[in-house]
Each structure stands twice: as C-alpha cells, then as structure tokens.
Amino acid sequence: MATGKPEHTCVVGLAWGDEGKGKIVDLLGERFDVVVRYNGGANAGHTIIVGNEKYAVHLLPTGLLRPNIAGVIGPGVVVDPVELLEEIDALANRGIDVAARLRISDRAHVVMPYHKIMDSLSEAAESGKRKIGTTARGIGPCYSDKMLRSTAVRMADLTELQRHRDRIKEIVALRKRAFAAMYGDDGNLSFDAVWESLQKAAKQLLPMISDTSSWLRHQIDEGKSLFFEGANGMLLDVDHGTYPYVTSSNTGPQGVAAGAGVPEGLVKRFVGVTKSYTTRVGSGPFPSELSDAIGDSIRDKGHEYGTTTGRPRRCGWLDAVAIRASVRLGGVSELAVTHLDTLSGFNHVGICVGYELDGNVQTESLPAGASAIERVKPVIEMLPGWTGELGQAKCIDDLPANAIAFVRRLEELVGAPVTIIGVGAEREQTITCNRLN
C-alpha cells in the first residue's frame, strides 16, 4: 500500500444497531480514498452532526459526507432507487454533491414497491411476540427474492430496463394475486405506477451503475485505501444474531468480502462500535433491558429514537456478554465507545457480565433460541457513576476517574482495547487514544 495510507478498515456495530457507527465512520473516513457500504438497505440509519448541521443517511455510505471520498454501494446491499435518489437530492440541496462520486454495483438487488407492501402486510398479519419489528422498508422481501432468483430485479436490469418489462409485469401480477389470497388486500399495487417509478429511477441512476467489484480491485492495485461501512449491528446478523428477530443480511465482518466484492482477508483492521449502554428497536429478547425510570432517563438523555423509523428505542445497561461474543466472532481489533456522556449523572452504572439460564451462568455468548434468551436473567455488575459535562474532554485523562474505570472494565470484559470515545453528538466531541492512526 502507498506510503502514508491507512490499512483497509471496517467499522461494524456490535449490538442491535444504533451504536453510533455513522459518527465513527465520519470520524475515521477522512484519511481514506473510498468508502464502501456492503450490506443491508434503507432500514439502516446513520446520523452525523457537524457544527450546527445534522445529516441523516440510510442508503448512502456515511463517508460520502467528506468531499474528497468516493463511495460504493456494493452487491450485498439491497437498493431502493426512489429512496436513494431522495437522499442524493437532499444532500445536493445542502451543497453536498455525491452523485459524481457514487458507484452502485450492477449486482445489487432492487427493492421494489411490492417488497415494501409485503413487509407491511405480513407484519400486520402477525400478532404479539411473533412480530419481527420490521422497519417496513422491504428489506426482508427483497432478500427473499434474491434467494428465490426468478422474481429478483437487480441494478443491472435497470441498465436495459425495456428488456425486462414483460417479466416485471408478470411479477407485479403474481404479487397482486398472492397479496389478495394471503392477506385479503392487494396493497393497491399497480404495474403502471411501478414501471413509471423504475423508468425515472433508471434514467437518473444509470451513470452510477457499474461493476464496482472490478473498480475496487483497480483501486486496491493502485494503492488506494478502502473503508468498509457496516449497516445494522452484529446481533442482527441473519446467521449469528438473535434469530428470528434479526435483519436479512450478514452485518459483521463476515459479510465484507461477499457484500463488497473484495478478496477474503483484505481487511486487517476491524473497529467495533458500542454505546456505553445497550439499545434495541422493535421486537426481540433483550437481557439487560431497563423497563423502569432509569431506562426512560437513558432514552431521554441519549435522544434514543430511531433515525429511520422514529420509534423509541428500548434501553438497558451495557451488555458485555453480547459485545464480547460479537468481538470474538468478528475478529474485532479495537472498540469505539459512544454516548459516554449520556451516563453522566447516574449514581451507579451497570454492566451485564453474565447470563443466568436454568441455574447456570455463562459469559461467552447468547443462546441460539429466542425463547432461551427471553428466560435469561442478567448478572449485573454495578460500578460507581460520575458527574459533569464530558463534551469538552480532549483526552481520556480529562474524564472523571469513575468514567475511566468504566471504560477500562469494559476492555477487561470484552478483550479488546478502547481507542475511540464519544463524549457528545458532534464530530469534534470525540476522544482518540491508543491506536487511531
């Protein structure tokens, strides 16, 4: 690699999403040449605050907010073309032109209008704990079509859309019949509306669609530094998360090679992001959840409402068991801890250090079954809290002693060093220590 360039790096969330990955990607991304999104879709939501400006992105790689970085949406992403164009236009209206710097994989799959209808209808048909808690962005149904193959639409199809008109018309008719039969509601699905939307999107996105895997290989050959941006959190991984309350893609380091279209082993540095507490949106087990005034206080202080959905997040003490499992599974080399300032003012702060299940305590991983996780009793270790405003801290020694002790205890429990600490919402309110460069 060229002298002075950072090694290829990936940032992943270690819990159920919303860990603050967007801020960490924005912070680290300035030294890289290319930022790559490799999984998920518009169900992800990253918020970045720069000065008095707040930016929220869902499909676009967060690193594109830096003006000199090229962005790639990889083949492992499912792309809603309408939402993507809305994001591009919204940033352009604020003086940030990303269209000229963005490449979209021709192998990425397209989220169609009927995917979103199916998401809503199927979730509405479920009841109680059977609800997955979907964002209704069509992500799961699109990935289902990807595996079914015969009903899938890819970005490559948009480059020669007229050739696929009859096939798409057949798929729309099939979905209308299926929705009516399964849910008693065809979702007002109209081929004419679907076709008009696709034609408009194809015309605007065509210059951005290409073989991004080949392009990335050329960037690697030229010594460019690549930055891989995970969406969702590792506990939402379809294979390794709290199934079935998960997303539909591989969210951790395991998904990078396939989802970005790069060689296995290319990335050597993996930064795992966790809040100083744990949150979850939607349904699913959550061992360290605080369904009390403390949980409400954390939600209010941390402004814990979904970037994508606006839903209030469930809050609980930091789950070091789950974080450790994610670190070990993903080969995570270092930690970024966000929202340390949110815990300022509590007399005591907790860390989940074990799970008690059927009389046994284990500290290595979550059980595979959701019903087993729901029976888990968390073993909580309480540490002394701290007070004061942390936002002006520039190094770890500027933090209160008890806050430092909290960070060091997390390192011990998880087995990885903390190299980044978020002490406020803005880009500049970040402490870097140990190994950042």
Side-chain angles (χ1 to χ4, degrees):
M1 185 176 297
T3 303
K5 292 288 187 181
E7 59 189 326
H8 304 308
T9 296
C10 177
V11 169
V12 295
L14 298 175
W16 287 288
D18 309 309
E19 300 93 347
K21 295 182 294 297
K23 179 180 180 180
I24 304 304
V25 169
D26 176 66
L27 173 74
L28 296 180
E30 65 177 340
R31 296 188 62 230
F32 291 82
D33 300 301
V34 183
V35 61
V36 185
R37 170 81 179 272
Y38 65 86
N39 79 292
N43 57 338
H46 294 159
T47 302
I48 304 95
I49 297 177
V50 183
N52 294 322
E53 294 288 325
K54 180 178 180 180
Y55 301 91
V57 296
H58 303 274
L59 268 166
L60 288 170
T62 306
L64 276 175
L65 293 177
R66 298 279 187 178
N68 299 317
I69 297 175
V72 169
I73 294 177
V77 179
V78 291
V79 179
D80 183 329
V82 174
E83 292 208 25
L84 178 57
L85 286 169
E86 288 176 353
E87 281 191 40
I88 292 172
D89 290 344
L91 288 179
N93 291 336
R94 299 175 68 177
I96 301 176
D97 179 15
V98 301
R101 296 182 283 125
L102 177 65
R103 288 171 172 80
I104 307 166
S105 173
D106 50 11
R107 291 167 171 79
H109 283 248
V110 179
V111 176
M112 301 288 282
Y114 48 76
H115 290 139
K116 291 187 278 190
I117 294 172
M118 183 176 180
D119 228 352
S120 297
L121 290 175
S122 62
E123 185 78 348
E126 298 291 358
S127 61
K129 290 187 176 181
R130 294 179 61 186
K131 290 181 179 290
I132 298 298
T134 174
T135 60
R137 298 299 180 99
I139 308 305
C142 184
Y143 276 114
S144 295
D145 270 357
K146 177 178 179 177
M147 296 305 163
L148 190 60
R149 293 161 292 173
S150 61
T151 51
V153 178
R154 301 199 298 175
M155 296 303 293
D157 300 334
L158 300 191
T159 66
E160 46 179 13
L161 189 57
Q162 195 62 39
R163 290 178 178 268
H164 296 275
R165 186 180 189 278
D166 290 344
R167 185 173 72 91
I168 293 171
K169 188 173 184 178
E170 290 175 2
I171 295 170
V172 170
L174 174 66
R175 290 299 157 85
K176 279 179 68 72
R177 294 195 299 270
F179 294 163
M182 295 172 65
Y183 308 113
D185 182 352
D186 69 4
N188 293 319
L189 184 59
S190 160
F191 170 72
D192 289 340
V194 170
W195 187 247
E196 182 182 353
S197 174
L198 282 178
Q199 286 183 304
K200 179 180 178 181
K203 182 178 180 180
Q204 293 180 258
L205 292 176
L206 185 59
M208 307 174 207
I209 301 171
S210 66
D211 181 352
T212 57
S213 300
S214 176
W215 185 80
L216 285 173
R217 287 193 289 272
H218 285 297
Q219 302 308 299
I220 295 167
D221 291 343
E222 292 175 6
K224 300 292 181 65
S225 54
L226 309 186
F227 193 82
F228 298 88
E229 178 181 332
N232 320 115
M234 287 184 66
L235 297 183
L236 293 174
D237 186 280
V238 68
D239 291 315
H240 305 287
T242 51
Y243 195 90
Y245 303 98
V246 293
T247 192
S248 303
S249 63
N250 290 122
T251 59
Q254 302 89 335
V256 172
V262 296
E264 287 278 2
L266 174 73
V267 181
K268 303 299 184 184
R269 182 187 181 194
F270 292 96
V271 181
V273 187
T274 176
K275 288 174 182 164
S276 59
Y277 48 94
T278 302
T279 63
R280 178 162 200 168
V281 172
S283 306
F286 184 176
S288 66
E289 184 172 10
L290 292 166
S291 302
D292 57 16
I294 295 177
D296 293 341
S297 180
I298 291 174
R299 181 182 303 108
D300 292 340
K301 292 186 64 177
H303 307 290
E304 294 295 350
Y305 298 89
T307 303
T308 300
T309 63
R311 290 182 293 181
R313 296 175 184 140
R314 300 154 61 189
C315 298
W317 293 128
L318 179 62
D319 191 335
V321 180
I323 300 304
R324 174 180 167 82
S326 293
V327 165
R328 290 168 65 86
L329 174 66
V332 171
S333 50
E334 56 196 278
L335 302 179
V337 178
T338 62
H339 280 265
L340 190 66
D341 54 302
T342 298
L343 291 188
S344 188
F346 289 94
N347 292 329
H348 294 86
V349 294
I351 300 181
C352 178
V353 298
Y355 295 155
E356 182 182 345
L357 179 63
D358 300 331
N360 299 310
V361 176
Q362 63 95 9
T363 61
E364 289 297 318
S365 63
L366 282 75
S371 61
I373 304 175
E374 288 171 349
R375 301 200 312 275
V376 159
K377 295 180 180 178
V379 179
I380 304 295
E381 179 180 306
M382 299 304 295
L383 302 175
W386 57 88
T387 59
E389 171 60 46
L390 307 188
Q392 300 303 312
K394 300 302 181 185
C395 66
I396 194 168
D397 291 336
D398 292 339
L399 297 174
N402 288 344
I404 297 173
F406 176 87
V407 171
R408 297 308 182 207
R409 181 58 176 148
L410 173 61
E411 291 179 321
E412 292 174 2
L413 291 167
V414 172
V418 173
T419 60
I420 303 170
I421 303 172
V423 291
E426 295 189 12
R427 177 186 283 171
E428 294 77 14
Q429 293 180 306
T430 310
I431 296 170
T432 57
C433 44
N434 299 332
R435 175 180 177 268
L436 176 63
N437 297 314

